[in-house]
Short mmCIF file of all heavy atoms in Angstrom, two decimals:
data_model
loop_
_atom_site.label_atom_id
_atom_site.label_comp_id
_atom_site.label_asym_id
_atom_site.label_seq_id
_atom_site.Cartn_x
_atom_site.Cartn_y
_atom_site.Cartn_z
N LEU A 1192 131.24 85.93 78.09
CA LEU A 1192 130.43 86.42 79.21
C LEU A 1192 130.64 87.90 79.45
O LEU A 1192 129.69 88.63 79.77
CB LEU A 1192 130.72 85.63 80.48
CG LEU A 1192 130.20 84.20 80.53
CD1 LEU A 1192 130.69 83.48 81.78
CD2 LEU A 1192 128.67 84.18 80.48
N SER A 1193 131.88 88.37 79.31
CA SER A 1193 132.18 89.79 79.54
C SER A 1193 131.48 90.70 78.53
O SER A 1193 131.34 91.89 78.76
CB SER A 1193 133.70 90.03 79.51
OG SER A 1193 134.20 90.04 78.19
N GLU A 1194 131.05 90.13 77.41
CA GLU A 1194 130.32 90.88 76.38
C GLU A 1194 128.81 90.63 76.48
O GLU A 1194 128.06 90.93 75.55
CB GLU A 1194 130.84 90.52 74.99
CG GLU A 1194 132.23 91.02 74.70
CD GLU A 1194 132.30 92.54 74.61
OE1 GLU A 1194 131.33 93.17 74.11
OE2 GLU A 1194 133.33 93.11 75.03
N ASN A 1195 128.38 90.05 77.60
CA ASN A 1195 126.96 89.75 77.84
C ASN A 1195 126.35 88.86 76.77
O ASN A 1195 125.20 89.04 76.36
CB ASN A 1195 126.14 91.04 78.00
CG ASN A 1195 126.60 91.85 79.18
OD1 ASN A 1195 126.78 91.31 80.28
ND2 ASN A 1195 126.84 93.13 78.96
N LYS A 1196 127.15 87.90 76.32
CA LYS A 1196 126.69 86.91 75.35
C LYS A 1196 126.75 85.54 76.02
O LYS A 1196 127.36 85.37 77.08
CB LYS A 1196 127.60 86.91 74.11
CG LYS A 1196 127.73 88.25 73.41
CD LYS A 1196 126.46 88.63 72.70
CE LYS A 1196 126.66 89.95 71.93
NZ LYS A 1196 125.45 90.40 71.30
N SER A 1197 126.13 84.55 75.40
CA SER A 1197 126.23 83.19 75.92
C SER A 1197 126.95 82.32 74.90
O SER A 1197 126.93 82.59 73.69
CB SER A 1197 124.86 82.62 76.28
OG SER A 1197 124.03 82.55 75.15
N GLU A 1198 127.56 81.29 75.41
CA GLU A 1198 128.41 80.42 74.59
C GLU A 1198 127.59 79.31 73.95
O GLU A 1198 126.90 78.56 74.63
CB GLU A 1198 129.49 79.81 75.49
CG GLU A 1198 130.45 78.92 74.79
CD GLU A 1198 131.46 78.34 75.77
OE1 GLU A 1198 131.98 79.09 76.62
OE2 GLU A 1198 131.70 77.12 75.68
N GLY A 1199 127.69 79.25 72.63
CA GLY A 1199 127.10 78.15 71.89
C GLY A 1199 128.22 77.24 71.42
O GLY A 1199 129.18 77.01 72.15
N GLU A 1200 128.12 76.78 70.19
CA GLU A 1200 129.15 75.90 69.63
C GLU A 1200 130.13 76.74 68.81
O GLU A 1200 129.75 77.37 67.82
CB GLU A 1200 128.52 74.83 68.76
CG GLU A 1200 129.51 73.78 68.33
CD GLU A 1200 128.85 72.60 67.65
OE1 GLU A 1200 127.68 72.29 67.97
OE2 GLU A 1200 129.51 72.00 66.80
N ILE A 1201 131.39 76.73 69.24
CA ILE A 1201 132.44 77.48 68.57
C ILE A 1201 133.56 76.51 68.22
O ILE A 1201 134.09 75.82 69.09
CB ILE A 1201 132.98 78.61 69.46
CG1 ILE A 1201 131.83 79.57 69.82
CG2 ILE A 1201 134.12 79.34 68.76
CD1 ILE A 1201 132.14 80.49 70.96
N ASN A 1202 133.89 76.46 66.95
CA ASN A 1202 134.94 75.57 66.46
C ASN A 1202 136.10 76.40 65.94
O ASN A 1202 135.92 77.24 65.06
CB ASN A 1202 134.41 74.69 65.32
CG ASN A 1202 133.30 73.79 65.78
OD1 ASN A 1202 133.48 72.98 66.66
ND2 ASN A 1202 132.14 73.97 65.18
N TYR A 1203 137.28 76.13 66.49
CA TYR A 1203 138.51 76.72 65.96
C TYR A 1203 139.14 75.66 65.07
O TYR A 1203 139.27 74.50 65.48
CB TYR A 1203 139.47 77.07 67.09
CG TYR A 1203 139.12 78.36 67.80
CD1 TYR A 1203 138.29 78.36 68.91
CD2 TYR A 1203 139.63 79.57 67.35
CE1 TYR A 1203 137.97 79.53 69.56
CE2 TYR A 1203 139.31 80.76 68.00
CZ TYR A 1203 138.48 80.73 69.10
OH TYR A 1203 138.18 81.90 69.73
N ILE A 1204 139.53 76.05 63.88
CA ILE A 1204 140.21 75.16 62.95
C ILE A 1204 141.55 75.79 62.63
O ILE A 1204 141.62 76.85 62.01
CB ILE A 1204 139.40 74.93 61.65
CG1 ILE A 1204 138.00 74.35 61.97
CG2 ILE A 1204 140.16 74.00 60.71
CD1 ILE A 1204 136.93 75.37 62.10
N PHE A 1205 142.62 75.15 63.10
CA PHE A 1205 143.98 75.65 62.87
C PHE A 1205 144.51 74.99 61.61
O PHE A 1205 144.45 73.76 61.46
CB PHE A 1205 144.86 75.37 64.08
CG PHE A 1205 144.38 76.08 65.31
CD1 PHE A 1205 143.59 75.43 66.24
CD2 PHE A 1205 144.70 77.41 65.53
CE1 PHE A 1205 143.12 76.09 67.37
CE2 PHE A 1205 144.24 78.08 66.64
CZ PHE A 1205 143.44 77.42 67.58
N CYS A 1206 145.04 75.82 60.71
CA CYS A 1206 145.44 75.31 59.40
C CYS A 1206 146.64 76.09 58.88
O CYS A 1206 147.23 76.89 59.60
CB CYS A 1206 144.26 75.42 58.43
SG CYS A 1206 143.61 77.10 58.25
N ASP A 1207 147.01 75.83 57.62
CA ASP A 1207 148.11 76.56 56.99
C ASP A 1207 147.54 77.54 55.96
O ASP A 1207 146.33 77.62 55.75
CB ASP A 1207 149.14 75.61 56.37
CG ASP A 1207 148.56 74.72 55.29
OD1 ASP A 1207 147.46 74.99 54.76
OD2 ASP A 1207 149.23 73.73 54.94
N ASP A 1208 148.43 78.30 55.34
CA ASP A 1208 148.01 79.31 54.36
C ASP A 1208 147.22 78.71 53.21
O ASP A 1208 146.19 79.25 52.81
CB ASP A 1208 149.23 80.04 53.79
CG ASP A 1208 149.80 81.09 54.72
OD1 ASP A 1208 149.10 81.48 55.69
OD2 ASP A 1208 150.94 81.53 54.49
N ASP A 1209 147.70 77.58 52.66
CA ASP A 1209 147.03 76.98 51.51
C ASP A 1209 145.58 76.61 51.84
O ASP A 1209 144.67 76.85 51.04
CB ASP A 1209 147.79 75.74 51.02
CG ASP A 1209 149.12 76.08 50.37
OD1 ASP A 1209 149.30 77.24 49.95
OD2 ASP A 1209 149.98 75.18 50.30
N TYR A 1210 145.38 76.03 53.01
CA TYR A 1210 144.04 75.63 53.45
C TYR A 1210 143.13 76.85 53.54
O TYR A 1210 142.00 76.84 53.06
CB TYR A 1210 144.16 74.93 54.81
CG TYR A 1210 142.91 74.24 55.29
CD1 TYR A 1210 142.75 72.87 55.12
CD2 TYR A 1210 141.91 74.94 55.94
CE1 TYR A 1210 141.61 72.22 55.58
CE2 TYR A 1210 140.77 74.31 56.40
CZ TYR A 1210 140.63 72.95 56.22
OH TYR A 1210 139.50 72.31 56.67
N LEU A 1211 143.65 77.93 54.14
CA LEU A 1211 142.84 79.13 54.34
C LEU A 1211 142.59 79.87 53.03
O LEU A 1211 141.50 80.42 52.83
CB LEU A 1211 143.48 80.04 55.38
CG LEU A 1211 142.52 80.97 56.12
CD1 LEU A 1211 141.35 80.21 56.73
CD2 LEU A 1211 143.25 81.73 57.19
N VAL A 1212 143.55 79.87 52.12
CA VAL A 1212 143.34 80.48 50.80
C VAL A 1212 142.22 79.75 50.08
O VAL A 1212 141.36 80.37 49.44
CB VAL A 1212 144.64 80.49 49.96
CG1 VAL A 1212 144.35 80.77 48.49
CG2 VAL A 1212 145.61 81.54 50.50
N GLU A 1213 142.19 78.44 50.19
CA GLU A 1213 141.14 77.66 49.55
C GLU A 1213 139.76 78.02 50.11
O GLU A 1213 138.80 78.20 49.36
CB GLU A 1213 141.42 76.16 49.74
CG GLU A 1213 140.55 75.28 48.88
CD GLU A 1213 140.96 73.83 48.95
OE1 GLU A 1213 142.16 73.53 48.75
OE2 GLU A 1213 140.07 73.00 49.21
N ILE A 1214 139.66 78.17 51.43
CA ILE A 1214 138.41 78.59 52.07
C ILE A 1214 138.04 79.99 51.57
O ILE A 1214 136.88 80.26 51.23
CB ILE A 1214 138.56 78.61 53.61
CG1 ILE A 1214 138.84 77.21 54.17
CG2 ILE A 1214 137.34 79.24 54.28
CD1 ILE A 1214 137.68 76.27 54.15
N ASN A 1215 139.03 80.88 51.52
CA ASN A 1215 138.82 82.25 51.09
C ASN A 1215 138.28 82.30 49.66
O ASN A 1215 137.36 83.05 49.36
CB ASN A 1215 140.14 83.02 51.20
CG ASN A 1215 139.96 84.47 51.60
OD1 ASN A 1215 138.86 84.96 51.75
ND2 ASN A 1215 141.08 85.15 51.78
N GLN A 1216 138.86 81.49 48.77
CA GLN A 1216 138.42 81.45 47.38
C GLN A 1216 137.03 80.84 47.25
O GLN A 1216 136.16 81.37 46.56
CB GLN A 1216 139.40 80.64 46.53
CG GLN A 1216 140.74 81.31 46.35
CD GLN A 1216 141.79 80.39 45.73
OE1 GLN A 1216 141.71 79.16 45.85
NE2 GLN A 1216 142.79 80.98 45.10
N GLN A 1217 136.83 79.72 47.93
CA GLN A 1217 135.59 78.97 47.78
C GLN A 1217 134.38 79.71 48.34
O GLN A 1217 133.32 79.73 47.72
CB GLN A 1217 135.73 77.61 48.47
CG GLN A 1217 134.54 76.70 48.29
CD GLN A 1217 134.80 75.32 48.88
OE1 GLN A 1217 135.90 74.99 49.31
NE2 GLN A 1217 133.76 74.51 48.92
N TYR A 1218 134.52 80.32 49.51
CA TYR A 1218 133.36 80.89 50.18
C TYR A 1218 133.27 82.41 50.11
O TYR A 1218 132.19 82.97 50.22
CB TYR A 1218 133.33 80.45 51.65
CG TYR A 1218 133.13 78.96 51.79
CD1 TYR A 1218 134.20 78.13 52.05
CD2 TYR A 1218 131.87 78.39 51.63
CE1 TYR A 1218 134.04 76.75 52.16
CE2 TYR A 1218 131.69 77.02 51.73
CZ TYR A 1218 132.77 76.21 51.99
OH TYR A 1218 132.60 74.85 52.09
N LEU A 1219 134.40 83.08 49.95
CA LEU A 1219 134.39 84.54 49.97
C LEU A 1219 134.82 85.17 48.65
O LEU A 1219 134.83 86.39 48.52
CB LEU A 1219 135.28 85.05 51.12
CG LEU A 1219 134.91 84.53 52.50
CD1 LEU A 1219 135.93 84.97 53.54
CD2 LEU A 1219 133.51 84.96 52.90
N ASP A 1220 135.22 84.32 47.70
CA ASP A 1220 135.65 84.78 46.38
C ASP A 1220 136.82 85.77 46.47
O ASP A 1220 136.90 86.72 45.71
CB ASP A 1220 134.47 85.40 45.61
CG ASP A 1220 134.69 85.34 44.11
OD1 ASP A 1220 135.44 84.46 43.64
OD2 ASP A 1220 134.11 86.19 43.39
N HIS A 1221 137.71 85.53 47.45
CA HIS A 1221 138.93 86.32 47.60
C HIS A 1221 140.12 85.41 47.33
O HIS A 1221 140.11 84.25 47.70
CB HIS A 1221 139.07 86.88 49.03
CG HIS A 1221 137.99 87.83 49.41
ND1 HIS A 1221 137.60 88.00 50.71
CD2 HIS A 1221 137.22 88.66 48.67
CE1 HIS A 1221 136.63 88.90 50.77
NE2 HIS A 1221 136.38 89.31 49.54
N ASP A 1222 141.16 85.96 46.73
CA ASP A 1222 142.35 85.17 46.44
C ASP A 1222 143.55 85.79 47.15
O ASP A 1222 144.54 86.15 46.53
CB ASP A 1222 142.59 85.11 44.93
CG ASP A 1222 143.63 84.06 44.56
OD1 ASP A 1222 143.90 83.18 45.38
OD2 ASP A 1222 144.19 84.15 43.45
N THR A 1223 143.42 85.93 48.47
CA THR A 1223 144.47 86.57 49.25
C THR A 1223 144.79 85.76 50.49
O THR A 1223 143.97 84.97 50.97
CB THR A 1223 144.03 87.98 49.70
OG1 THR A 1223 142.81 87.87 50.44
CG2 THR A 1223 143.81 88.90 48.52
N LEU A 1224 145.99 85.99 51.01
CA LEU A 1224 146.38 85.39 52.28
C LEU A 1224 145.72 86.17 53.41
O LEU A 1224 145.54 87.39 53.32
CB LEU A 1224 147.90 85.46 52.46
CG LEU A 1224 148.74 84.61 51.54
CD1 LEU A 1224 150.22 84.90 51.75
CD2 LEU A 1224 148.46 83.12 51.76
N THR A 1225 145.34 85.48 54.44
CA THR A 1225 144.75 86.11 55.62
C THR A 1225 145.08 85.25 56.83
O THR A 1225 145.41 84.08 56.68
CB THR A 1225 143.24 86.31 55.46
OG1 THR A 1225 142.75 87.06 56.57
CG2 THR A 1225 142.49 84.99 55.38
N ASP A 1226 145.00 85.84 58.01
CA ASP A 1226 145.29 85.07 59.22
C ASP A 1226 144.05 84.39 59.77
O ASP A 1226 144.15 83.37 60.44
CB ASP A 1226 145.95 85.95 60.30
CG ASP A 1226 145.21 87.24 60.58
OD1 ASP A 1226 144.15 87.48 59.98
OD2 ASP A 1226 145.71 88.03 61.40
N ILE A 1227 142.87 84.94 59.50
CA ILE A 1227 141.64 84.40 60.08
C ILE A 1227 140.47 84.60 59.13
O ILE A 1227 140.37 85.61 58.45
CB ILE A 1227 141.34 85.08 61.44
CG1 ILE A 1227 140.05 84.53 62.07
CG2 ILE A 1227 141.29 86.58 61.30
CD1 ILE A 1227 139.77 85.05 63.47
N ILE A 1228 139.61 83.59 59.11
CA ILE A 1228 138.30 83.69 58.47
C ILE A 1228 137.31 83.13 59.47
O ILE A 1228 137.51 82.03 60.00
CB ILE A 1228 138.22 82.90 57.14
CG1 ILE A 1228 139.18 83.49 56.11
CG2 ILE A 1228 136.79 82.88 56.62
CD1 ILE A 1228 139.24 82.71 54.81
N SER A 1229 136.26 83.89 59.73
CA SER A 1229 135.26 83.40 60.67
C SER A 1229 133.89 83.37 60.01
O SER A 1229 133.54 84.26 59.24
CB SER A 1229 135.23 84.27 61.93
OG SER A 1229 134.96 85.61 61.62
N PHE A 1230 133.16 82.30 60.29
CA PHE A 1230 131.79 82.14 59.82
C PHE A 1230 130.89 82.20 61.04
O PHE A 1230 131.02 81.39 61.95
CB PHE A 1230 131.62 80.82 59.07
CG PHE A 1230 132.42 80.76 57.79
CD1 PHE A 1230 133.67 80.17 57.77
CD2 PHE A 1230 131.92 81.31 56.62
CE1 PHE A 1230 134.42 80.12 56.60
CE2 PHE A 1230 132.66 81.26 55.44
CZ PHE A 1230 133.91 80.66 55.43
N ASP A 1231 130.02 83.18 61.06
CA ASP A 1231 129.17 83.46 62.21
C ASP A 1231 127.81 82.79 62.04
O ASP A 1231 127.07 83.09 61.10
CB ASP A 1231 129.01 84.98 62.33
CG ASP A 1231 128.29 85.42 63.59
OD1 ASP A 1231 127.80 84.56 64.36
OD2 ASP A 1231 128.20 86.64 63.81
N TYR A 1232 127.48 81.89 62.97
CA TYR A 1232 126.18 81.22 62.98
C TYR A 1232 125.41 81.56 64.26
O TYR A 1232 124.56 80.80 64.70
CB TYR A 1232 126.35 79.70 62.88
CG TYR A 1232 127.29 79.25 61.79
CD1 TYR A 1232 128.42 78.50 62.08
CD2 TYR A 1232 127.05 79.58 60.45
CE1 TYR A 1232 129.29 78.09 61.07
CE2 TYR A 1232 127.92 79.17 59.45
CZ TYR A 1232 129.03 78.42 59.77
OH TYR A 1232 129.89 78.02 58.79
N SER A 1233 125.74 82.70 64.86
CA SER A 1233 125.14 83.07 66.14
C SER A 1233 123.63 83.21 66.03
O SER A 1233 123.09 83.60 64.99
CB SER A 1233 125.75 84.38 66.65
OG SER A 1233 127.12 84.22 66.89
N LEU A 1234 122.98 82.90 67.15
CA LEU A 1234 121.53 83.02 67.25
C LEU A 1234 121.23 83.98 68.39
O LEU A 1234 121.42 83.63 69.55
CB LEU A 1234 120.89 81.66 67.54
CG LEU A 1234 121.15 80.56 66.51
CD1 LEU A 1234 120.74 79.20 67.04
CD2 LEU A 1234 120.40 80.88 65.22
N GLY A 1235 120.83 85.20 68.06
CA GLY A 1235 120.60 86.20 69.09
C GLY A 1235 121.87 86.46 69.87
O GLY A 1235 122.91 86.78 69.28
N ASN A 1236 121.81 86.30 71.17
CA ASN A 1236 122.98 86.52 72.03
C ASN A 1236 123.83 85.27 72.23
O ASN A 1236 124.80 85.30 72.96
CB ASN A 1236 122.55 87.07 73.40
CG ASN A 1236 122.36 88.56 73.36
OD1 ASN A 1236 122.92 89.26 72.52
ND2 ASN A 1236 121.57 89.07 74.28
N GLU A 1237 123.43 84.16 71.60
CA GLU A 1237 124.20 82.92 71.74
C GLU A 1237 125.20 82.82 70.58
O GLU A 1237 124.80 82.80 69.41
CB GLU A 1237 123.26 81.71 71.75
CG GLU A 1237 123.96 80.43 72.14
CD GLU A 1237 122.98 79.29 72.31
OE1 GLU A 1237 122.62 78.67 71.29
OE2 GLU A 1237 122.57 79.05 73.46
N ILE A 1238 126.49 82.78 70.96
CA ILE A 1238 127.58 82.80 69.99
C ILE A 1238 127.82 81.39 69.42
O ILE A 1238 128.05 80.44 70.17
CB ILE A 1238 128.88 83.30 70.66
CG1 ILE A 1238 128.70 84.68 71.28
CG2 ILE A 1238 130.05 83.27 69.69
CD1 ILE A 1238 128.43 85.77 70.31
N HIS A 1239 127.79 81.29 68.09
CA HIS A 1239 128.11 80.05 67.37
C HIS A 1239 128.96 80.43 66.17
O HIS A 1239 128.71 81.46 65.53
CB HIS A 1239 126.85 79.37 66.82
CG HIS A 1239 125.90 78.88 67.86
ND1 HIS A 1239 125.96 77.61 68.37
CD2 HIS A 1239 124.87 79.49 68.47
CE1 HIS A 1239 124.98 77.45 69.25
NE2 HIS A 1239 124.31 78.59 69.35
N GLY A 1240 129.95 79.62 65.84
CA GLY A 1240 130.70 79.90 64.63
C GLY A 1240 131.89 79.00 64.43
O GLY A 1240 132.28 78.24 65.32
N ASP A 1241 132.45 79.10 63.24
CA ASP A 1241 133.68 78.41 62.86
C ASP A 1241 134.75 79.46 62.61
O ASP A 1241 134.52 80.39 61.83
CB ASP A 1241 133.49 77.58 61.59
CG ASP A 1241 132.52 76.42 61.79
OD1 ASP A 1241 132.45 75.89 62.91
OD2 ASP A 1241 131.83 76.05 60.81
#
Side-chain angles (χ1 to χ4, degrees):
L1192 288 174
S1193 77
E1194 290 293 325
N1195 298 312
K1196 304 289 183 183
S1197 62
E1198 181 182 315
E1200 189 171 331
I1201 300 164
N1202 298 300
Y1203 282 91
I1204 302 94
F1205 297 97
C1206 57
D1207 61 16
D1208 282 345
D1209 290 340
Y1210 191 98
L1211 206 52
V1212 164
E1213 191 173 308
I1214 297 287
N1215 215 357
Q1216 291 169 335
Q1217 184 174 353
Y1218 295 100
L1219 303 175
D1220 204 25
H1221 297 153
D1222 192 18
T1223 57
L1224 292 174
T1225 186
D1226 51 2
I1227 180 174
I1228 296 175
S1229 58
F1230 294 96
D1231 187 355
Y1232 311 121
S1233 298
L1234 301 168
N1236 276 337
E1237 191 173 83
I1238 303 295
H1239 295 269
D1241 294 329

